[in-house]
């Protein structure tokens, strides 16, 4: 017979919760707020050099694109790790 790992805490908060909110949600909100603050602190225009061309754009766009690409790659590799 298999046991549900959360069944021993029936109705009570798990040790990994902060004020009843899962720790990963709290960390995600904090990291998201810091990322937003960092993006808004970097509004000047910069030249971005690719291999064959150069683009002038606000730095926050480049940072947001990098953050988005990192999040997508992290999600993809997380799924791959869970399947092992």
């Amino acid at each position: 017979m298999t046991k549900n790992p959360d069944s021993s805490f029936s109705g009570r908060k798990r040790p990994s919760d902060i004020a009843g909110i899962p720790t990963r949600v709290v960390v995600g909100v904090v990291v998201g707020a810091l990322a937003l603050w960092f993006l808004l602190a970097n509004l000047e225009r910069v030249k971005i050099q690719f291999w064959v061309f150069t683009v002038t754009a606000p730095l926050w766009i480049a940072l947001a694109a990098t953050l988005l690409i990192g999040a997508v790659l992290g999600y993809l590799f997380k799924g791959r790790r869970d399947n092992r």
Side-chain angles (χ1 to χ4, degrees), residues 18-70:
I18 298 173
I21 302 170
T23 305
R24 75 191 285 175
V25 172
V26 173
V27 170
V29 168
V30 169
V31 169
L34 288 173
L36 182 63
W37 172 73
F38 187 71
L39 288 175
L40 294 175
N42 291 287
L43 299 176
E44 63 272 359
R45 295 181 72 80
V46 295
K47 288 184 180 180
I48 302 167
Q49 177 70 45
F50 292 100
W51 288 280
V52 291
F53 59 93
T54 302
V55 175
T56 300
L59 180 57
W60 73 267
I61 291 177
L63 292 170
T66 303
L67 179 67
L68 182 64
I69 291 168

